[in-house]
Amino acid sequence: MSLAPVFYHYFSRPLPYARTWNFQQHIHQLQLHLRPSSAHPDVLLLLQHRPTYTSGRRQSESEINQDRIRLQDLGADFVSATRGGQLTYHGPGQVVGYPLIDLSRYTPTMGAREYVCRIQKLMEAHLRDSHGIRPVPSEHTGVFLDPSTKIGSIGVQVRHRLTSHGFAMNITREPLPWFNEIVACGLDDVKAGSIESKLGKAVDFNQEVSGIISQFGKFFGRQMVKLDPREHGEIGEAIVALEKEAEAAGPWCSGPLHHTP
């Protein structure tokens, strides 16, 4: 029996992190409610965020309080997230993927370790197939251009066998100065890289998104169907509302603002 399709949607304007997380939670609750009838949709959200630093659930408030003040002063939002991992950055020029899928649809049920492994493999395959970039193996979770340059991050949450949060890949050079302000993911000797910085030329962001969608379908064995907001009730209405909010928010800060006393 073939698996249900995954419905995907790409938000063309950068979204606020907190509102997007609330949207993920809304879909999670809807999936739980509809699961007994097997009518719950699996969804892949692809987007960029407005400049935001996020901490992981392994970090205490006392550990991150000083970072919070300093990083907000640079012009970014700061959010304590519920994903795994430590301090990281999300912003324009970086494609973020939030798969909201039911792992129990696989036989046997897919475990969290295999799920993370497939995400890592799909990002690596995108770099190879679309750009001829060959990532190097690392003892750390994520995708590395070389032992000290990280281009892709993974931080997931699995509750009731339903996934949230996901992965991020740096496409343009825009995220790199923001990453330079932190020790991302607790890795002192690692810096951020991007597809553009590796290739030394500009890339088409929309083509990156379509390539990742294709790889997701391949590595998860799913048909990928573009989500039509008009046909998906509450989810569709929330997508339209988020897009309107992103448009109304206007321009974002394009780089860290270094204030002098």
Side-chain angles (χ1 to χ4, degrees):
M1 183 177 178
S2 61
L3 295 170
V6 173
F7 294 97
Y8 68 87
H9 183 80
Y10 171 57
F11 293 87
S12 60
R13 291 184 177 85
L15 301 179
Y17 186 94
R19 284 280 288 110
T20 309
W21 168 235
N22 289 338
F23 182 37
Q24 289 186 68
Q25 292 180 299
H26 179 70
I27 294 177
H28 175 83
Q29 292 301 318
L30 185 64
Q31 289 171 324
L32 278 178
H33 177 70
L34 295 175
R35 179 187 260 168
S37 64
S38 298
H40 55 301
D42 282 351
V43 179
L44 173 63
L45 304 177
L46 291 162
L47 53 107
Q48 301 173 75
H49 277 303
R50 297 178 72 85
T52 308
Y53 290 99
T54 67
S55 61
R57 59 176 177 261
R58 290 165 53 189
Q59 297 171 275
S60 67
E61 189 63 29
S62 61
E63 290 177 312
I64 63 176
N65 190 50
Q66 287 188 334
D67 278 331
R68 180 193 302 275
I69 296 170
R70 179 178 65 86
L71 297 173
Q72 286 177 328
D73 194 47
L74 297 176
D77 293 331
F78 191 103
V79 177
S80 298
T82 57
R83 56 164 175 81
Q86 299 184 53
L87 186 66
T88 193
Y89 170 78
H90 294 307
Q94 178 192 72
V95 62
V96 177
Y98 292 135
L100 300 148
I101 64 175
D102 186 350
L103 297 181
S104 67
R105 281 196 155 116
Y106 291 86
T107 305
T109 296
M110 186 184 299
R113 184 182 296 273
E114 182 182 353
Y115 172 64
V116 169
C117 182
R118 291 195 191 197
I119 289 178
Q120 179 152 335
K121 287 180 177 179
L122 79 86
M123 288 197 289
E124 293 172 343
H126 172 69
L127 291 173
R128 288 194 303 267
D129 296 349
S130 297
H131 299 290
I133 297 172
R134 296 195 171 274
V136 302
S138 175
E139 62 182 307
H140 305 295
T141 301
V143 180
F144 288 75
L145 298 174
D146 58 55
S148 62
T149 308
K150 187 175 183 180
I151 190 173
S153 300
I154 304 170
V156 306
Q157 183 177 48
V158 180
R159 296 172 293 165
H160 309 290
R161 302 181 304 282
L162 297 169
T163 67
S164 57
H165 293 292
F167 60 91
M169 183 182 295
N170 300 326
I171 307 300
T172 74
R173 293 179 175 88
E174 190 169 356
L176 305 190
W178 294 96
F179 273 106
N180 289 340
E181 298 290 337
I182 61 173
V183 177
C185 304
L187 304 177
D188 293 282
D189 56 347
V190 171
K191 65 181 184 299
S194 70
I195 293 176
E196 283 192 352
S197 64
K198 177 65 175 178
L199 297 178
K201 63 179 182 180
V203 297
D204 185 325
F205 202 97
N206 290 330
Q207 288 187 4
E208 302 305 312
V209 171
S210 62
I212 289 171
I213 292 168
S214 177
Q215 295 290 356
F216 190 94
K218 174 182 175 182
F219 279 90
F220 282 89
R222 308 292 286 273
Q223 178 188 6
M224 305 301 291
V225 177
K226 187 175 182 179
L227 188 151
D228 185 343
R230 297 169 298 181
E231 298 178 357
H232 282 80
E234 293 180 43
I235 293 176
E237 291 171 4
I239 285 174
V240 172
L242 262 178
E243 288 180 331
K244 288 181 178 178
E245 182 175 334
E247 183 178 6
W252 56 90
C253 177
S254 60
L257 301 176
H258 293 277
H259 300 294
T260 56

